[in-house]
């Protein structure tokens, strides 16, 4: 009876409906619970199955790779360090048309949803069923994917490596992250973050760099059609590149304009009109070697890589703001002076060697196999060696096969030209170039104001300021004289200009050295130390070195800031040991700075991406000379200009002498492979070097190859520009008087007609430049004390 009653109850419609309702709710609750468990599992990476999600800290402090920026002392941006060239800007610095184009194209309900657009998801699902595939990601979801790398291997768990399931998990993370972003940021902030994050192609990340790259403008100045091009790029930066695929870019731009018209951001007539305009670009990709002070930027990077490593920063990702000591105006003047002189000098060099190869031995005979041996040291040759092994024929075929290439040239303003050359011919071509380096420093603060490491960074990346070390020739002689003056000698003390031989022991072996003067002549007369340094007389320098000891000279050179290894030999004063311009300028700066050596510095402070000060750099000074010695050395340096036959007198040709005083010292190595000039004014110290890449490449005569011809003109041209630029504030003037009582006799200038003499470290027996008038008057020098 009961079973029949149950059958009757079960057959009632209401009861069956109730079971369905109960089943539905039961399934819904179970499904909802599973969904919640799934979402929590994804969010908290249960058992490491789903991979990590962005933390609260990352959500509230989002960090994308950002270029570090390098600024001059006068506030100019001169370079960036980046893996992704990105410089974020605020919402207010973005064109309204850009924002409208983005929303109309990518997420028309952006202001209505909270991170996920259900309508778009349903439309996408329907589209996939009907064969009309479309995206459903909101701008916020795309930001989540780009900013937090939700689809990278780092964010994958165990399940994330299963095809199909990995997409579901990644999409879930994007949804969850998008919702959290909407909770923490305003719509404007999300738009700004998105446009600062995305890749526009052509090495431009973020809207600021993209606007400059493609249109040479700022993001707030974009025209409607330009904004449409950039928004169109977001779908596929390469396929829709206006530079490389202009037809695709134009078509995509017009689609964006249609979307803007469809949603009433612009009129239909405006869209039609703009769609007919040609694609106009001002395309320029920002590279690491673009802009001024390229060698300087490389030197800063070398320093900062180690600094960042020690302090937990990434120079290429963290968006640091680095403020340097360089003055952009002085840098420009230095680069222009170097270019102007090197253009003329290279023509002179080419004419000098016309019809011959300039790589020669000590007898001026061409070095056989020079190019063939040199190319074996190149990275290109090593790649060929790896590719072909011991197949010499195949390697030589590659080396001698002509191909089109761009090469450096002084022949036009663009500094490059397209040619057809083989790699071997290219090496022959480049080896003929002379190179140069130059640095200017404020001796009182240690601030480096200009840094020219070479003639063109794009083609010659080797830095001749700090990286290179070359023989300084006679520019090293002041270290002999400063050691002597600091140990009892005075500028007016005399040494006979005569042939000498110095016997000494080196590493247990007896040796002798007989220095010669540049003109191979000796007056046989006493010569003041000031005149000996001003005329750069080898015999006087060598005898003084022997008197005070070459170990003493080495000690003083190191004390003044020379850090390179120095040979303790009798010829130390003639500059046989390699040093850098960077060291030499720092050392010479001790003289005008009253005996304080200030370590050259090129960074003043570093800030993080938010403008917070990370590190402040301060000058490092050390007292290494007495004020009297420093003052007397400034007086000695003026001898190159004031003493008869002074080697710096070529400076009289320049407009530098309206009540001005300049201390200077030339230097030239014995085969003219290195030409130097060190110049000191009341405000600045500048060092210049000029020479071939290899020491075997040089002028053959002192009349062309001495430092007064190769390096000094760069200083002269540069200082003319410095004084003409009134905004810099550097004026001509005399050196300050002594701040202490000078106990030594020093005012003993020789009065004879001015004549430029060769630098006496050049040993050229073929040139007879002996000054007869000077010989006749050599015994009439008058000394006086002050």
């Amino acid at each position: 009876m009961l079973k029949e009653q149950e059958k009757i109850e079960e057959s009632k419609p209401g009861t069956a409906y109730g079971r369905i309702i109960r089943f539905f709710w039961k399934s819904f609750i179970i499904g909802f619970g599973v969904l919640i468990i799934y979402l929590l599992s994804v969010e908290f990476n249960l058992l490491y199955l789903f991979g990590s999600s962005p933390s609260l800290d990352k959500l509230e402090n989002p960090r994308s790779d950002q270029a570090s920026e390098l600024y001059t002392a006068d506030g100019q941006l001169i370079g960036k360090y980046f893996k992704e060239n990105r410089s974020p800007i605020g919402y207010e610095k973005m064109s309204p048309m850009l924002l409208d184009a983005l929303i109309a194209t990518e997420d028309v309900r952006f202001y209505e949803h909270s991170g996920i657009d259900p309508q778009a998801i349903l439309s996408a699902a329907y589209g996939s069923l009907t064969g009309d595939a479309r995206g459903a990601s909101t701008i916020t979801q795309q930001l989540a994917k780009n900013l937090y790398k939700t689809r990278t291997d780092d964010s994958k768990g165990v399940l994330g490596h299963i095809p199909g399931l990995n997409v579901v998990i990644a999409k879930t993370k994007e949804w969850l992250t998008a919702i959290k972003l909407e909770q923490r940021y305003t719509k404007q902030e999300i738009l700004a973050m998105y446009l600062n994050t995305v890749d526009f192609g052509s090495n431009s990340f973020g809207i600021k760099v993209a606007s400059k790259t493609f249109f040479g403008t700022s993001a707030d100045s974009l025209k409607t059609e330009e904004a449409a091009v950039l928004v169109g790029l977001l779908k596929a930066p390469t396929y829709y590149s206006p530079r490389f695929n202009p037809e695709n870019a134009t078509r995509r731009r017009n689609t964006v304009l249609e979307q803007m018209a469809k949603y009433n951001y612009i009129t239909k007539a405006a869209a039609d009109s703009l769609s007919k305009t040609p694609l106009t670009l001002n395309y320029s990709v920002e590279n690491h070697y673009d802009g001024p002070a390229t060698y300087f930027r490389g030197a800063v990077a070398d320093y900062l890589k180690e600094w960042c490593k020690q302090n937990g920063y990434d120079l290429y990702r963290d968006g640091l703001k680095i403020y340097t000591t360089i003055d952009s105006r002085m840098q420009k003047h230095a680069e222009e002076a170097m270019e102007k002189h090197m253009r003329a000098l290279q023509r002179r060099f080419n004419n000098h060697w016309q019809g011959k190869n300039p790589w020669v031995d000590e007898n001026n005979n061409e070095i056989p196999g020079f190019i063939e041996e040199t190319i074996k040291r190149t990275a290109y040759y090593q790649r060929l060696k790896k590719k072909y092994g011991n197949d010499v024929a195949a390697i030589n075929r590659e080396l001698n096969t002509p191909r089109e290439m761009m090469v450096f040239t002084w022949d036009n303003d663009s500094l490059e030209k397209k040619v057809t050359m083989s790699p071997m011919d290219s090496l022959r071509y480049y080896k003929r170039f002379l190179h140069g380096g130059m640095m200017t420093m404020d001796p009182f603060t240690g601030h480096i104001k200009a840094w020219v490491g070479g003639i063109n960074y794009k083609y010659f990346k080797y830095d001749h300021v700090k990286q290179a070390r070359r023989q300084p020739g006679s520019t090293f002689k002041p270290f002999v004289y400063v050691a002597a003056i600091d140990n009892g000698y005075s500028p007016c003390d005399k040494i006979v200009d005569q042939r000498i031989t110095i016997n000494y022991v080196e590493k247990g072996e007896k040796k002798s050295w007989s220095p010669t003067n540049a003109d191979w002549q000796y007056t046989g007369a006493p010569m003041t130390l000031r005149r000996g340094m001003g005329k750069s007389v080898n015999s006087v320098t060598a005898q003084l070195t022997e008197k005070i000891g070459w170990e003493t000279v080495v000690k003083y050179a190191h004390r003044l800031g020379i850090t390179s290894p120095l040979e303790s030999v009798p010829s130390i004063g003639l500059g046989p040991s390699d040093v850098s311009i960077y060291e030499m300028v720092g050392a010479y700066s001790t003289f005008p700075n009253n005996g304080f050596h200030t370590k050259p510095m090129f960074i003043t402070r570093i800030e993080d991406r938010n403008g917070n000060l990370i590190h402040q750099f301060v000058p490092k000074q050390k007292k290494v000379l007495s004020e009297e010695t420093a003052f007397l050395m400034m007086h000695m340096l003026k001898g190159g200009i004031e003493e008869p036959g002074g080697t710096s007198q070529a400076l009289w040709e320049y407009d530098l002498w309206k009540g001005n005083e300049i201390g200077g010292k030339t230097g030239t190595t014995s085969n003219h492979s290195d030409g130097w000039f060190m110049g000191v004014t009341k405000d600045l110290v500048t060092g210049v070097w000029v020479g071939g890449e290899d020491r075997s490449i040089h002028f053959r005569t002192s009349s062309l190859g001495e430092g007064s011809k190769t390096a000094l003109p760069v200083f002269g041209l540069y200082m003319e520009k410095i004084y003409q630029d009134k905004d810099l504030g550097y004026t001509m003037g005399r050196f300050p008087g002594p701040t202490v009582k000078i106990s030594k006799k020093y005012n003993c200038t020789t009065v004879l007609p001015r004549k430029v003499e060769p630098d006496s470290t050049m040993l050229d027996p073929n040139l007879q430049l002996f000054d007869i008038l000077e010989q006749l008057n050599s015994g009439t020098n008058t000394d006086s004390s002050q």
Side-chain angles (χ1 to χ4, degrees), residues 86 193 223 285 493:
R86 179 185 290 106
M193 283 194 290
K223 300 175 184 177
V285 176
D493 287 340

Side-chain angles (χ1 to χ4, degrees), residues 197 222 288 421 437 460:
T197 304
L222 288 168
H288 290 282
M421 284 184 182
F460 308 100

Side-chain angles (χ1 to χ4, degrees), residues 240 242 245-255 275 277-279:
Y240 293 112
N245 293 297
E247 291 183 4
N248 296 346
T250 301
R251 195 163 56 248
R252 180 63 180 164
R253 177 199 68 179
N254 295 344
T255 298
S275 295
T277 60
L279 197 63

Side-chain angles (χ1 to χ4, degrees), residues 13 132 182 221 225 245 320 411 490 528 530 601 633 636 690 703:
D132 181 21
E182 292 274 352
S221 300
E225 63 273 24
N245 293 297
L320 303 176
D411 297 339
S490 78
T528 65
R530 187 175 194 258
M601 61 181 290
M633 282 306 299
M636 293 281 287
V690 172
S703 60

Side-chain angles (χ1 to χ4, degrees), residues 738-757:
T739 56
V740 296
K741 181 180 179 181
I742 305 302
S743 60
K744 297 175 181 177
K745 185 194 307 184
Y746 68 92
N747 188 15
C748 47
T749 303
T750 308
V751 182
L752 285 175
R754 287 202 307 265
K755 178 178 177 62
V756 179
E757 287 291 336

Side-chain angles (χ1 to χ4, degrees), residues 291-328:
T294 43
Y295 293 93
F296 173 73
R297 280 149 43 189
V300 172
D302 289 341
Y303 173 80
L304 286 176
K305 286 174 189 174
E306 184 61 30
W307 184 90
C308 287
K309 183 179 178 181
Q310 293 176 359
N311 292 275
Y313 292 95
D314 188 326
L315 178 62
Y316 298 93
R317 298 180 186 275
D318 285 346
L320 303 176
K321 302 290 188 294
I322 302 117
Y323 294 88
T324 72
T325 61
I326 289 288
D327 187 293
S328 66

Side-chain angles (χ1 to χ4, degrees), residues 37-46 48-60 144-145 147-157 166 168-181 184:
I37 292 172
Y38 167 71
L39 292 176
L40 290 173
S41 298
V42 171
E43 174 68 14
F44 296 104
N45 190 19
L46 181 67
Y48 301 99
L49 294 173
F50 301 93
S52 60
S53 295
S55 64
L56 179 63
D57 177 65
K58 285 186 176 181
L59 287 169
E60 294 182 346
K145 181 173 67 175
L147 193 59
Y148 301 106
K149 314 295 183 187
T150 54
R151 299 196 182 191
T152 63
D153 289 338
D154 293 339
S155 62
K156 287 182 179 180
N166 60 344
V168 174
I169 294 173
K171 205 68 181 176
T172 303
K173 289 182 183 179
E174 289 170 21
W175 286 343
L176 292 172
T177 305
I179 292 171
K180 288 184 280 189
L181 284 172
R184 285 169 172 79

